[in-house]
Amino acid sequence: MTIASERVATPAAERPFTPEWLGQVFSKGLLHVAVIGITLVWIVPTLGLLVSSFRPLDQFSSSGWWTALSPPFKFTLDNYTGVLDASNLGQSFFNSFMITIPATVIPVTIAAFAAYAFSWMKFWGRDMFFLALVGLLAVPLQATFVPILTTFVNLGLTPENVGFVGLWLVHTGYGLPFAIYLLANFFRALPTDLFESAEIDGAGTLTVFFRIVLPLSVPAIASLIIFQFLWIWNDYLVALVYVGGTPEVAPLTVTLANLVGSKGQDYQLLTAAAFFSMIVPLIVFFSLQRYFVRGILAGSVKG
Amino acid sequence: MDFSQLLADVPTLVAVIVGVPAVLAAYIVGGEYVVRLLPDKLRPSVRPWIWVGPALAFVGFFLVYPVFGTAYRSLFDLSGNSFVGLSNYVTQLSGFPSGGSWIAIRNNVFWLVFFTVLVLAFGLLFAVLTDRVSYESPIKSLIFMPMAISFVAIALIWKFMYSYQPPGEPQTGTVNALLGIFHQDPRLWVQDPNVANQALIVAAVWGFVGFAMVILSAALKGIPGDLLEAARVDGAGELTIFRRVIFPLMMPTIVVVGTTLVIFALKAFDVVYVMTNGNYDTDVLANRMYKLLTASQDFGDASAVAIILVAAVIPVLIFNLRQFRAVEARR
């Protein structure tokens, strides 16, 4: 018995220096080489940008960024100070927060209200409305610009008059279908007993929502907040269409893209500006990655 | 940089952070209070509309109404004063193969095919490979990282990758430096109409592979280990297992990721706008629509291009709805 089981536990390939063993070691090695190779290829573009942004101008234009990785190490912060002085990146950094925070808070809150109604209340046309939301996930935003721009101009909701408010409202409308979809899927999965026993205890709708549904949905809401935050922070098209390049209201992405036009010759400044624009998303990403991934999975696997 | 001005803006930011949630909470508490004033019988039929009302109003005003508004607007001339019927569409769809919107349509088809296929292929490959190593998670976060940054930054990163110096000079762009190792002359990747589209698509693929990899990798982990073990015991090679077991089981997820990628490919804008602005034969519908909207102020033609884009998305939209219905039916 023991001998037989030992034989099973030690297949041929695990005995050293047999052809099978060599084959396995070789293919394992190949696997590691492939995985590490792919990773290197994938980080080279970002690494090149990061290294370049710290290189002095004379080096920057006369040699490739990889030469900076060998001695003598010559790095400088000149590109960062230079681009912050010569552009309104600082103002844009603030603007990005001013746009992103309300444009995350408003749709997530309104979506939570709606998702609660969609999952636990009965009303006329509920399933039809939900189906429409799923359909709207695919609609190109381009098909909404002309009428909204016209209405905003007529109502005086221009950046000159109301600052970021127009952009907050637009992002709320655009973000809601995904937000409701994600939250409703989560709310519906909460156990029915919870609601029944709360009702028996005489808890009102508000109590159930704030005391039961929201606390239990923290993971889903966290995913959604991070997702929406990064989405708005990185948005370019919507900001470009509704607020344009006006320095007082332009977010980082718009200012960065404008720099490509105005400072296209000073590439060393652009690398610093690009990295500057990536700082916040990278911090959010690396500290809260778990939630971000969960949001992406919830948003698409169930499709 | 003027920090004092930024500091002056901080109270605004604080007011917004506190004020916006306060308004929203006041709405729902106030709404519920109003509902409680109603007779018992009416409450269940009024309450849902308090909760779902703001969302429906926003979606209706910012998504539903504008799509119809755009369709209607596309039947008028640039200033919107005179009805021109379908003539904007005729302008956009005449002159095949190079007039009107045709270059943009051709490039969107390019994007649709190459972007989708490449992202799926790399995403699947990376998901399968990283699944077999112990240091999977740091590797996956590095590959996934581009998803966190803006496509404007991605476009800049790749402009830098593709940068060009005349032959004989030291190359500062990574891609041309690599060509130099193989004794090839450097190329103007982004400005050469023969390769510019591919160059832009590569940049977008780099940005999106992490997305596909993460989802496909989750699906891969959902395949029961016993199943793969059984196949191995039966003597199936790893490639056979992938083709006959893993791939078919992952097909539904691949389709879902694929539809997301198709929608993205049809709406591609940022990378094109920042890297070429549609020059060198790289125009796409979204960029063309933006140019008509801003540079030409031609709202009629811009609306027509937007509606062409909507028409292109409709098959995907119908497919999504069917998928959704099928999933609902299984609940």
Side-chain angles (χ1 to χ4, degrees):
Chain A
M1 263 316 268
T2 28
I3 292 166
S5 65
E6 260 169 26
R7 271 214 184 131
V8 173
T10 322
E14 275 176 30
R15 263 179 274 139
F17 303 113
T18 56
E20 290 88 352
W21 181 83
L22 283 175
Q24 208 157 3
V25 167
F26 180 71
S27 64
K28 260 283 178 219
L30 210 61
L31 173 71
H32 290 299
V33 168
V35 169
I36 292 170
I38 286 167
T39 314
L40 285 179
V41 169
W42 235 253
I43 59 174
V44 153
T46 323
L47 189 69
L49 181 91
L50 180 63
V51 171
S52 301
S53 71
F54 292 108
R55 297 185 74 204
L57 175 59
D58 56 325
Q59 310 257 314
F60 186 95
S61 46
S62 62
S63 59
W65 60 270
W66 49 91
T67 56
L69 297 176
S70 55
F73 298 108
K74 277 193 182 164
F75 293 111
T76 167
L77 284 173
D78 286 357
N79 299 330
Y80 284 88
T81 51
V83 78
L84 287 175
D85 282 337
S87 68
N88 22 49
L89 274 180
Q91 174 70 40
S92 302
F93 188 70
F94 172 81
N95 292 343
S96 278
F97 275 110
M98 275 301 279
I99 293 166
T100 309
I101 293 172
T104 305
V105 172
I106 303 173
V108 171
T109 315
I110 291 181
F113 297 159
Y116 181 47
F118 273 118
S119 17
W120 294 103
M121 293 179 194
K122 287 199 174 73
F123 54 93
W124 177 85
R126 184 180 74 170
D127 295 349
M128 181 192 75
F129 284 130
F130 201 76
L131 199 64
L133 286 176
V134 174
L136 287 171
L137 287 171
V139 165
L141 300 182
Q142 281 81 3
T144 65
F145 293 160
V146 170
I148 297 178
L149 276 174
T150 317
T151 316
F152 273 10
V153 170
N154 291 341
L155 295 176
L157 282 169
T158 53
E160 296 79 39
N161 293 333
V162 294
F164 306 103
V165 175
L167 203 52
W168 298 343
L169 299 177
V170 168
H171 275 309
T172 301
Y174 292 166
L176 275 173
F178 177 76
I180 298 174
Y181 176 69
L182 192 148
L183 288 183
N185 276 340
F186 195 88
F187 289 178
R188 270 196 289 193
L190 295 173
T192 323
D193 320 357
L194 272 178
F195 294 87
E196 282 165 1
S197 56
E199 219 166 278
I200 291 165
D201 291 347
T205 318
L206 281 177
T207 320
V208 174
F209 180 71
F210 284 107
R211 294 283 175 80
I212 299 178
V213 176
L214 287 192
L216 286 176
S217 310
V218 166
I221 293 172
S223 304
L224 179 61
I225 288 177
I226 292 161
F227 205 83
Q228 179 79 6
F229 181 93
L230 288 178
W231 182 260
I232 308 288
W233 186 277
N234 291 331
D235 159 70
Y236 176 56
L237 177 62
V238 176
L240 187 65
V241 166
Y242 292 101
V243 302
T246 326
E248 292 77 33
V249 283
L252 274 175
T253 45
V254 172
T255 307
L256 182 60
N258 283 346
L259 285 175
V260 179
S262 63
K263 297 216 179 334
Q265 302 312 309
D266 304 319
Y267 219 100
Q268 78 286 357
L269 296 183
L270 285 181
T271 57
F275 204 74
F276 184 72
S277 81
M278 289 158 54
I279 292 172
V280 170
L282 286 182
I283 292 173
V284 171
F285 174 72
F286 281 113
S287 55
L288 302 165
Q289 199 186 146
R290 212 155 42 95
Y291 293 103
F292 184 46
V293 168
R294 202 182 288 159
I296 282 190
L297 292 178
S300 43
V301 168
K302 287 176 184 161
Chain B
M1 189 159 79
D2 187 2
F3 280 106
S4 60
Q5 195 212 336
L6 285 188
L7 283 178
D9 283 333
V10 167
T12 329
L13 187 59
V14 173
V16 164
I17 292 174
V18 178
V20 168
V23 169
L24 293 168
Y27 164 80
I28 203 70
V29 173
E32 193 62 25
Y33 181 76
V34 170
V35 169
R36 279 183 206 168
L37 295 179
L38 294 171
D40 270 355
K41 261 198 262 168
L42 274 176
R43 283 181 204 169
S45 54
V46 173
R47 181 175 280 131
W49 300 105
I50 303 273
W51 288 79
V52 85
L56 293 184
F58 267 102
V59 170
F61 184 76
F62 289 107
L63 283 168
V64 180
Y65 146 73
V67 172
F68 291 103
T70 302
Y72 179 72
R73 185 66 183 75
S74 69
L75 305 175
F76 289 81
D77 69 348
L78 71 166
S79 59
N81 293 327
S82 49
F83 181 81
V84 293
L86 292 176
S87 90
N88 290 328
Y89 292 93
V90 173
T91 316
Q92 294 308 319
L93 296 177
S94 63
F96 183 82
S98 60
S101 293
W102 284 108
I103 297 267
I105 292 173
R106 182 202 70 182
N107 289 337
N108 270 115
V109 173
F110 255 31
W111 272 80
L112 187 90
V113 175
F114 291 107
F115 173 79
T116 311
V117 170
L118 287 175
V119 172
L120 279 178
F122 279 113
L124 195 56
L125 178 71
F126 293 4
V128 171
L129 286 182
T130 54
D131 193 44
R132 288 152 183 263
V133 296
S134 53
Y135 42 94
E136 178 183 6
S137 79
I139 294 281
K140 270 167 48 181
S141 45
L142 285 174
I143 294 173
F144 189 54
M145 191 277 294
M147 273 304 282
I149 64 179
S150 67
F151 270 93
V152 176
I154 289 178
L156 255 165
I157 286 174
W158 280 88
K159 253 187 125 123
F160 186 56
M161 285 290 283
Y162 290 131
S163 65
Y164 169 88
Q165 305 290 334
E169 303 268 319
Q171 293 298 322
T172 53
T174 312
V175 177
N176 280 329
L178 284 176
L179 278 187
I181 294 176
F182 299 105
H183 303 289
Q184 302 280 319
D185 277 342
R187 295 189 74 154
L188 277 160
W189 294 97
V190 179
Q191 289 94 337
D192 178 351
N194 295 316
V195 289
N197 267 310
Q198 290 89 317
L200 302 194
I201 292 172
V202 164
V205 167
W206 177 78
F208 242 89
V209 163
F211 166 81
M213 177 195 68
V214 162
I215 297 175
L216 294 172
S217 163
L220 184 65
K221 296 203 187 309
I223 297 177
D226 320 356
L227 210 60
L228 304 181
E229 218 34 63
R232 277 192 197 108
V233 168
D234 288 347
E238 291 300 310
L239 269 181
T240 319
I241 293 180
F242 179 77
R243 266 194 319 133
R244 296 287 176 80
V245 184
I246 298 180
F247 193 71
L249 283 174
M250 286 179 72
M251 206 54 207
T253 314
I254 293 175
V255 169
V256 169
V257 177
T259 53
T260 312
L261 297 174
V262 164
I263 293 174
F264 179 84
L266 290 172
K267 296 199 275 196
F269 173 77
D270 303 16
V271 169
V272 177
Y273 182 80
V274 176
M275 286 179 82
T276 63
N277 192 15
N279 294 315
Y280 320 111
D281 277 357
T282 59
D283 213 0
V284 288
L285 284 171
N287 191 57
R288 184 174 170 80
M289 189 266 169
Y290 181 76
K291 275 195 284 191
L292 288 167
L293 187 69
T294 53
S296 338
Q297 295 275 318
D298 184 345
F299 282 23
D301 275 304
S303 299
V305 173
I307 293 300
I308 294 173
L309 207 52
V310 173
V313 170
I314 282 179
V316 186
L317 193 153
I318 292 174
F319 178 82
N320 269 355
L321 290 180
R322 284 204 179 152
Q323 287 275 103
F324 173 75
R325 282 230 159 128
V327 172
E328 287 297 285
R330 267 185 266 133
R331 256 176 212 281

